[in-house]
Amino acid sequence: MKLAALLEAAGMAATDGAEATVTGFAIDSRKVAPGTVFGAFQGTEANGEDFIPAAIAAGAIAIIARPEAKVEGALHIADEIPRQAFARLAAQFFTPVPAHIVAVTGTNGKTSTAEMTRQIWRMAGERAASIGTLGVTTPDESVSTGLTTPDIATFLSNVSGLAREGVTHIAYEASSHGLSQYRNEGIPVQAVAFTNLSRDHLDYHSNMEEYFLAKMRLFDEVASEGATSVIWTGASLSEWSRRAIEHAEKRPLRVFTVGERGEGIRLAAHTPTQLGQNIRIEHDGSERTIELPLIGAYQVANALTAAGLALAVGTDPALVWDAVARLQPVRGRLERAVIAPSGAPVYVDYAHTPAALAAAIEALRPHVAPETGRLITVFGAGGDRDHGKRAEMGHEAAQGSDIVIVTDDNPRGEDPEAIRRHILTGTGDGAHDISDRRAAIAEAIKLSQAGDIVLIAGKGHEQGQIIGAGDSMRILPFDDVEVARECAAESTQG
């Protein structure tokens, strides 16, 4: 396709030299081939403008960069926000796209909500996919791993590739990093969801207000005109949900609230059962009871938010509610890994923020045997990330658990012992400090008794432990689910 035609389609001014044929888009100079449009962006660790000469030498025909960037030998498409300009232009190249696209933002629940939306569509007979922390999950259930929000060229290429394979419905996670860096722009988004907001990523965002506003770009700019906003309200309307509603109304988007106070889907009651929970919901003037095969109150929030997204794009309500009753747990999200020799179930969860850890603990507590049962929690905190949440995580673990074991997560470039000490300032006396994660999991299983529940939190679906940083970084194979199973088997043999 000619560059001039792409510029016109994106509503951008065409200039001399725009008659060249575009063969692709890249933000990594090593991926540039003849005919590529190269995006040169300033980052926290590197400046893409430094690689403009290398990109041109490799065959880049145009460079999208700030007006003050130095470009010689290729067309300079200058923009004060080059990331956004790159996304707008690339979206005209990567076509077609599926007819139905929805996006989910929030601190917790994005992965589960996006994946549950995909499940609902699949069970309703649609060819659906999800994109996010787990990677790209296709209609045949195959998964390719990746970042929560991949770079814009990869994202748009994935979306278009799925459409060419016959996918008609996509649900994707919109992270605050991705939204602030314009990594999911340019495609029509029929419905957007906001799950919740709590402390996270304050190593990247300067404060909670900046973090929230990054999330709200999904509502303010990314969602298509007239799109539906699905907003979780819970039993009491949080300040962040209230403000999300304000953003939706200002745009304006159709507001579809979900939860105990929901006007789109009202959660009238939910009762824990041994392997899930019974929920009673009201939607479109009718009431129904559903046996949800998932443990945890916040899984109800994820499931109903997913239902709201499916309904928003026109999926038959009868098919939606039938599918909700058959939802499967998402990898690493309150996933039951094994039953310990003691009879205690062992759950793995991705919770790595204070609010998420508290929610996982709260979800499991009703399933602990009354009076005699204990909740045993194993967790750590990642290195080179927000230090302020560590003591808070320790506090939440100590408040909700009977036994706490603090261990290493992904220490990255920090001293693992220093990270654990920071967490232990929040746990108070009595927490166990076991650096080796496998040993910590083994100890939790060894300590468990009938009626107990073991929670292993922090890494969820991850299959490696990140040690060191920079050139000395190593990723050691480590899967909490597999390790828990191995430790349970070893405990049986012992």
Side-chain angles (χ1 to χ4, degrees), residues 442-465:
E443 180 66 11
I445 290 173
K446 178 182 175 182
L447 290 173
S448 69
Q449 301 171 2
D452 292 349
I453 287 180
V454 176
L455 168 64
I456 305 168
K459 291 176 58 58
H461 64 283
E462 294 176 358
Q463 295 182 311
Q465 188 173 30

Side-chain angles (χ1 to χ4, degrees), residues 4 42 69 83 96 136 173 177 195 208 216 227 252 297 386 407 428 433 453 466 494:
Q42 291 181 307
R83 290 180 184 273
V136 179
E173 298 178 49
H177 290 69
T195 58
M208 289 295 292
M216 283 298 99
D386 179 11
T407 189
D433 179 7
I453 287 180
I466 305 172

Side-chain angles (χ1 to χ4, degrees), residues 168-210:
T168 57
H169 293 63
I170 286 181
Y172 73 87
E173 298 178 49
S175 69
S176 61
H177 290 69
L179 287 163
S180 65
Q181 295 172 11
Y182 302 93
R183 285 195 254 147
N184 37 34
E185 308 285 307
I187 56 176
V189 179
Q190 282 184 293
V192 293
F194 175 77
T195 58
N196 51 63
L197 198 84
S198 61
R199 179 171 184 147
D200 199 12
H201 300 308
L202 295 192
D203 53 317
Y204 179 81
H205 303 286
S206 60
N207 52 50
M208 289 295 292
E209 181 67 14
E210 181 183 300

Side-chain angles (χ1 to χ4, degrees), residues 64 94 129 277 294:
I64 301 180
F94 291 103
Q277 48 205 313
L294 304 170

Side-chain angles (χ1 to χ4, degrees), residues 155-481:
F155 175 75
L156 292 173
S157 177
N158 285 339
V159 170
S160 180
L162 289 166
R164 293 177 187 277
E165 293 172 7
V167 169
T168 57
H169 293 63
I170 286 181
Y172 73 87
E173 298 178 49
S175 69
S176 61
H177 290 69
L179 287 163
S180 65
Q181 295 172 11
Y182 302 93
R183 285 195 254 147
N184 37 34
E185 308 285 307
I187 56 176
V189 179
Q190 282 184 293
V192 293
F194 175 77
T195 58
N196 51 63
L197 198 84
S198 61
R199 179 171 184 147
D200 199 12
H201 300 308
L202 295 192
D203 53 317
Y204 179 81
H205 303 286
S206 60
N207 52 50
M208 289 295 292
E209 181 67 14
E210 181 183 300
Y211 179 39
F212 174 70
L213 292 177
K215 297 284 191 186
M216 283 298 99
R217 277 205 67 248
L218 183 63
F219 283 40
D220 299 340
E221 301 176 42
V222 176
S224 300
E225 293 293 329
T228 297
S229 62
V230 179
I231 301 170
W232 176 257
T233 58
S236 59
L237 186 66
S238 74
E239 175 69 8
W240 301 116
S241 291
R242 181 189 65 76
R243 291 183 58 188
I245 292 171
E246 290 177 354
H247 277 259
E249 291 175 338
K250 184 177 180 180
R251 175 75 193 277
L253 305 176
R254 177 191 174 214
V255 175
F256 187 96
T257 53
V258 179
E260 287 90 341
R261 300 167 55 92
E263 296 181 1
I265 300 172
R266 190 176 84 85
L267 175 61
H270 67 100
T271 306
T273 62
Q274 185 177 11
L275 297 176
Q277 48 205 313
N278 290 327
I279 60 173
R280 182 160 51 87
I281 60 102
E282 296 174 2
H283 167 251
D284 198 24
S286 63
E287 183 178 286
R288 68 186 68 219
T289 298
I290 300 170
E291 292 185 13
L292 183 68
L294 304 170
I295 281 179
Y298 72 80
Q299 293 284 46
V300 175
N302 297 335
L304 295 185
T305 302
L309 287 170
L311 292 167
V313 302
T315 308
D316 186 325
L319 296 178
V320 169
W321 299 122
D322 176 69
V324 168
R326 294 185 284 143
L327 287 172
Q328 296 299 306
V330 177
R331 181 79 164 92
R333 273 65 179 175
L334 279 188
E335 179 182 2
R336 192 173 67 198
V338 69
I339 302 293
S342 63
V346 180
Y347 288 89
V348 169
D349 193 81
Y350 190 51
H352 58 280
T353 68
L357 186 58
I361 289 169
E362 181 182 352
L364 294 175
R365 175 56 71 179
H367 303 274
V368 174
E371 299 182 7
T372 60
R374 302 167 303 170
L375 181 60
I376 303 171
T377 299
V378 181
F379 78 105
D384 299 333
R385 297 293 186 268
D386 179 11
H387 291 199
K389 69 180 183 181
R390 295 172 183 172
E392 292 184 22
M393 290 177 69
H395 175 73
E396 294 293 353
Q399 285 287 103
S401 310
D402 299 289
I403 299 175
V404 174
I405 300 175
V406 177
T407 189
D408 292 345
D409 189 285
N410 293 316
R412 298 186 176 87
E414 285 194 66
D415 176 9
E417 185 178 354
I419 297 173
R420 298 196 310 278
R421 282 201 307 268
H422 202 167
I423 296 171
L424 290 165
T425 63
T427 62
D429 297 334
H432 300 252
D433 179 7
I434 302 176
S435 61
D436 182 271
R437 193 171 181 90
R438 175 181 287 272
I441 292 170
E443 180 66 11
I445 290 173
K446 178 182 175 182
L447 290 173
S448 69
Q449 301 171 2
D452 292 349
I453 287 180
V454 176
L455 168 64
I456 305 168
K459 291 176 58 58
H461 64 283
E462 294 176 358
Q463 295 182 311
Q465 188 173 30
I466 305 172
I467 311 292
D471 293 338
S472 64
M473 185 186 77
R474 296 173 297 149
I475 302 179
L476 306 179
F478 201 100
D479 183 325
D480 280 353
V481 171

